[in-house]
């Protein structure tokens, strides 16, 4: 079996979530808006999903809106708040290392007259709370930040940022917790943010299921128009199975966090030491303030895309940068924001462990990954020395 070390891209559906979903995909398939028994059973399952996910993040069930994934939750949060707040102001603040779901949504809003401020980050990928503070003026309506970065794993100094933003009245905070959710406590009242986006497939829930926490009293314009579902905030027949699968997976991930996080951090450190032992390999992201199962590096003189393919053939699934930039030759906007020149950013590798990762897999990966990196670097060096193959067989 290949070793799967790309949990930041997605995770497999866990058995308990599938077991909760199966009846809703078979016998209890009703539409939760229908009044008959089929509909009532679907409604009960949807209510249960709201209750479970809300309990998991310290919220009320009515503060949870189920969506078709992380990207949709983020779009609803940002566009919903931007359009609802337009009369008060039009300035939206974010960081340069956000996921494209955030950055492209903001770029879209710019076309309609919103002013977007994209803050720089330090070499580890952290925003400076003082700069967040400085970017807020009386026209600012929203600050959108990620809790932890998908490409380099860095955790933002969130408490400090929130404290600064809260000093300004009327500025809302949206937290993209998609990548952080399996490993960091997401407690809405303690975080003191207004909106939180989540995606089920990052914590062994189903793909195409996500949720947005909307703090009670937050004014947001729906982005999907039609029926009255999700308290008028997200029209369309609900994915009941997806919502319950998500809620079950989240509850389990949260309960297991105290065991999973330190175990994965120790395995990750072992792999990190094996890879950083190679010359010319540098860690990206923060050395300590990073997600526990997350390892990202740049390797000089190695092409990241070629390395991912070589590792795939050798039985290890990893990625360069983020899943969405895979296949693209563009260097990652995250590594550029951290100050890595394009040629170095092209040698990037992201290795992300998950709950199901075993010690044995990390033992094997600790041998395979450095060996493939060394092999590829030699191969690329010999091609560079003799690009036309004139010395071959000479
Ligand atoms: N935000 C972050 C930080 C992510 O890592 C991702 C997915 O990789 C998303 C948002 C988008 O989530 P989804 O793929 O569920 O739409």
């Amino acid at each position: 079996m290949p070793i799967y070390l790309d949990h930041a891209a997605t995770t497999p559906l866990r058995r308990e979530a599938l077991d909760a979903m199966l009846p809703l995909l078979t016998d209890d398939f009703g539409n939760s808006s229908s009044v008959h028994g089929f509909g009532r059973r679907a409604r009960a399952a949807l209510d249960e999903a709201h209750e479970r996910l809300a309990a998991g993040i310290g919220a009320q069930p009515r503060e949870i809106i189920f969506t078709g994934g992380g990207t949709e939750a983020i779009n609803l949060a940002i566009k919903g708040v931007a359009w609802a707040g337009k009369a008060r102001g039009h300035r939206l603040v974010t960081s340069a290392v956000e996921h494209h779901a955030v950055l492209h949504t903001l770029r879209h809003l710019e076309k309609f007259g919103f002013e977007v401020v994209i803050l720089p980050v330090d070499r580890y990928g952290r925003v400076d709370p003082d700069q967040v503070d400085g970017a807020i003026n009386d026209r600012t309506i929203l600050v959108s930040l990620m809790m932890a970065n998908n490409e380099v794993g860095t955790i933002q100094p969130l408490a400090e940022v929130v404290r600064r933003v809260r000093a300004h009245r009327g500025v809302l905070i949206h937290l993209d917790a998609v990548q952080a959710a399996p490993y960091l406590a997401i407690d809405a009242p303690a975080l003191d943010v207004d909106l939180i986006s989540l995606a089920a497939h990052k914590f062994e829930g189903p793909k195409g299921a996500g949720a947005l926490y909307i703090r009670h009293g937050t004014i947001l314009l729906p982005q999907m128009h039609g029926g009255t579902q999700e308290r008028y905030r997200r029209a369309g027949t609900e994915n009941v199975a997806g919502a319950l699968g998500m809620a079950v997976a989240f509850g389990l991930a949260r309960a297991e966090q105290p065991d999973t996080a330190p175990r994965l951090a120790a395995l990750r450190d072992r792999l990190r030491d094996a890879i950083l032992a190679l010359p010319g390999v540098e860690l990206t992201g923060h050395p300590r303030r990073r997600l526990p199962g997350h390892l990202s590096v740049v390797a000089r003189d190695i092409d990241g895309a070629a390395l991912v393919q070589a590792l795939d053939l050798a039985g290890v699934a990893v990625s360069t940068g983020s899943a969405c930039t895979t296949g693209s030759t563009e260097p990652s906007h995250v590594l550029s924001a951290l100050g890595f020149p394009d040629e170095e950013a092209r040698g990037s590798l992201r290795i992300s462990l998950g709950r199901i990762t075993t010690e044995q897999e990390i033992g094997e990966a600790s041998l395979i990954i450095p060996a493939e990196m060394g092999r590829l670097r030699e191969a690329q060096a010999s091609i560079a020395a003799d690009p036309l193959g004139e010395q071959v067989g000479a």
Side-chain angles (χ1 to χ4, degrees), residues 143-193:
V143 173
S144 181
L145 272 189
M146 63 195 342
M147 196 168 186
N149 186 268
N150 45 313
E151 287 188 41
V152 296
T154 299
I155 299 168
Q156 292 293 353
L158 192 67
E160 192 54 24
V161 169
V162 171
R163 202 170 61 76
R164 302 297 174 91
V165 179
R166 287 294 170 232
H168 303 266
R169 267 174 62 86
V171 181
L172 297 174
I173 306 175
H174 166 242
L175 187 63
D176 172 359
V178 168
Q179 209 53 243
Y183 304 115
L184 305 180
I186 314 285
D187 185 287
L191 291 169
D192 190 20
V193 297

Side-chain angles (χ1 to χ4, degrees), residues 311-356:
L311 286 170
D312 189 30
L313 290 174
V316 183
V318 294
S319 73
T320 64
S322 72
C324 30
T325 49
T326 304
S328 133
T329 49
E330 285 294 299
S332 129
H333 69 284
V334 173
L335 292 178
S336 300
L338 266 63
F340 286 91
D342 287 1
E343 61 281 7
E344 284 185 24
R346 287 210 170 82
S348 71
L349 190 68
R350 178 184 73 178
I351 305 166
S352 46
L353 289 59
R355 184 188 64 92
I356 58 166

Side-chain angles (χ1 to χ4, degrees), residues 8-9 69-72 74 99 101 146 148 150 176 178-179 199 201-202:
T71 300
E72 189 196 324
I74 289 168
H99 191 271
M146 63 195 342
N150 45 313
D176 172 359
V178 168
Q179 209 53 243
H201 71 110
K202 305 292 187 187

Side-chain angles (χ1 to χ4, degrees), residues 6 11 34-35 126 153 182 213 264 271 324 354:
D6 200 12
T11 59
S34 303
V35 289
R126 288 179 308 180
Y213 157 80
L264 292 188
L271 193 54
C324 30

Side-chain angles (χ1 to χ4, degrees), residues 215-392:
R215 191 205 286 249
H216 183 60
T218 305
I219 300 170
L220 168 144
L221 285 187
Q223 297 303 304
M224 202 78 90
H225 303 99
T228 62
Q229 291 91 350
E230 297 294 82
R231 295 174 178 269
Y232 294 90
R233 285 175 295 187
R234 199 266 188 180
T237 302
E238 305 91 339
N239 172 6
V240 181
L244 190 60
M246 175 174 189
V248 167
F250 185 83
L252 291 166
R254 185 189 153 104
E256 293 159 355
Q257 248 168 35
D259 294 328
T260 316
R263 189 178 70 80
L264 292 188
L267 290 178
R268 186 266 323 271
D269 289 352
R270 190 171 150 198
L271 193 54
R272 179 200 59 200
D273 294 347
I275 292 173
L276 292 187
L278 278 180
V281 182
E282 187 187 330
L283 189 76
T284 57
H286 200 278
R288 292 177 313 283
R289 296 278 303 151
R290 64 186 300 139
L291 292 173
H294 196 291
L295 175 61
S296 53
V297 297
V298 287
R300 243 156 253 128
D301 311 322
I302 300 183
D303 178 62
L307 179 58
V308 168
Q309 283 172 19
L311 286 170
D312 189 30
L313 290 174
V316 183
V318 294
S319 73
T320 64
S322 72
C324 30
T325 49
T326 304
S328 133
T329 49
E330 285 294 299
S332 129
H333 69 284
V334 173
L335 292 178
S336 300
L338 266 63
F340 286 91
D342 287 1
E343 61 281 7
E344 284 185 24
R346 287 210 170 82
S348 71
L349 190 68
R350 178 184 73 178
I351 305 166
S352 46
L353 289 59
R355 184 188 64 92
I356 58 166
T357 304
T358 64
E359 204 173 332
Q360 191 192 336
E361 286 178 320
I362 293 305
E364 287 174 32
S366 301
L367 299 175
I368 297 171
I369 297 174
E372 285 299 316
M373 288 170 94
R375 201 180 58 76
L376 205 63
R377 180 178 273 159
E378 265 180 38
Q380 285 178 198
S382 61
I383 291 170
D386 180 19
L388 300 177
E390 287 160 346
Q391 303 302 317
V392 176

